[in-house]
Amino acid sequence: MGSASKQSNNKASGKATQAERRARIAELRAAEERREKRNKAITIGISSVVVAAMIAGVAWITLSAKHDQDQKDAAAKAAAQAKKDAANVPIDGVKTFDKLGRNHVTTPVTYPQTPPVGGDHNPVWLNCMGNVYDQPVKNENAVHSLEHGAVWVTYNAKATPDDVKTLSDKVKVTPYSFMSPYNDEEGTITLSAWGTQLIVDKASDPRVEQFFTKYVQGPQTQEPGASCSVSQ
């Protein structure tokens, strides 16, 4: 009897131990599944945040680029309108000349204006992308640049160093303009465009800015869009 009872107790104990082991394994598996679900949820959450941030970043970049482009377009439109408005406003003292030849020649040309404002000219134009020359340039090449819509600033010995600096600073930042000394011109400072000329005494004269606004690539331009650079 004692032996049979002991065996029965051992079997019951063994079954209990197996049941506990299975329960523990089940508990561990359940815990692992919960951990996997939690990690998956975290991963999905992080991925969602990253994707959302990327979308937001792309949207911001796109909107920022559009905003910048809109500003550039608005500025260009405003500048074009300002130039159009300026073209309709007469500038006191400006003289205009017509019936100017446009033939290409390789011989010297005698011009009726000093400096010239147009007429027959050399086939090669002068660099006029804000170029400041410290020596006189050839009329025939300069006139070709005027044909392309450039403004030519000249001055004689009566111009002060401050005037020369002010004018050269303006020219250097203005494409389709150029500057050079012109010793035998009548006025202290002369602004020339094709068929158009203005003489002033000082660089501070407000008409200088008006002339640039109106005539750099202005309505007098004979060949709009033509280059103002010469390959060296």
Side-chain angles (χ1 to χ4, degrees):
M1 288 292 293
S3 177
S5 176
K6 186 176 181 180
Q7 290 179 354
S8 177
N9 289 337
N10 288 340
K11 289 181 179 179
S13 177
K15 290 181 179 180
T17 301
Q18 291 178 357
E20 289 175 355
R21 186 181 298 111
R22 286 195 294 270
R24 179 59 180 164
I25 292 173
E27 183 179 347
L28 291 173
R29 287 178 177 174
E32 181 65 24
E33 289 177 357
R34 288 194 299 272
R35 186 163 51 252
E36 289 179 355
K37 288 180 180 180
R38 184 169 60 253
N39 291 341
K40 185 176 182 181
I42 292 172
T43 301
I44 293 174
I46 293 174
S47 299
S48 299
V49 171
V50 171
V51 171
M54 291 176 63
I55 293 173
V58 171
W60 183 86
I61 292 172
T62 301
L63 290 174
S64 179
K66 184 179 185 304
H67 177 69
D68 291 344
Q69 187 59 50
D70 288 345
Q71 286 189 321
K72 290 179 181 179
D73 292 345
K77 185 176 180 180
Q81 185 60 47
K83 194 170 186 66
K84 184 177 179 181
D85 293 341
N88 296 322
V89 177
I91 301 173
D92 185 40
V94 167
K95 295 180 179 180
T96 58
F97 309 86
D98 56 11
K99 298 180 180 179
L100 302 171
R102 292 181 57 197
N103 298 312
H104 286 178
V105 297
T106 56
T107 55
V109 179
T110 299
Y111 294 102
Q113 301 86 27
T114 305
V117 297
D120 295 345
H121 48 270
N122 193 278
V124 179
W125 58 90
L126 201 66
N127 277 322
C128 46
M129 292 298 286
N131 298 83
V132 175
Y133 300 93
D134 57 8
Q135 296 295 323
V137 298
K138 290 185 177 180
N139 286 335
E140 293 78 11
N141 301 105
V143 168
H144 197 155
S145 296
L146 299 184
E147 186 181 44
H148 289 190
V151 163
W152 182 16
V153 179
T154 55
Y155 59 95
N156 60 24
K158 291 183 289 185
T160 68
D162 285 344
D163 285 333
V164 174
K165 183 180 186 307
T166 297
L167 293 168
S168 63
D169 288 346
K170 173 65 177 176
V171 168
K172 288 176 181 178
V173 297
T174 307
Y176 284 88
S177 74
F178 62 108
M179 177 176 169
S180 67
Y182 207 105
N183 297 327
D184 56 347
E185 69 179 24
E186 180 181 352
T188 303
I189 298 166
T190 305
L191 307 175
S192 302
W194 183 272
T196 311
Q197 196 165 75
L198 172 67
I199 297 174
V200 298
D201 295 327
K202 300 290 293 182
S204 58
D205 192 312
R207 293 176 296 169
V208 172
E209 184 67 31
Q210 293 171 0
F211 195 94
F212 269 83
T213 300
K214 185 169 184 175
Y215 294 111
V216 170
Q217 284 282 283
Q220 84 292 342
T221 303
Q222 301 298 299
E223 297 181 2
S227 174
C228 223
S229 296
V230 179
S231 299
Q232 300 296 324

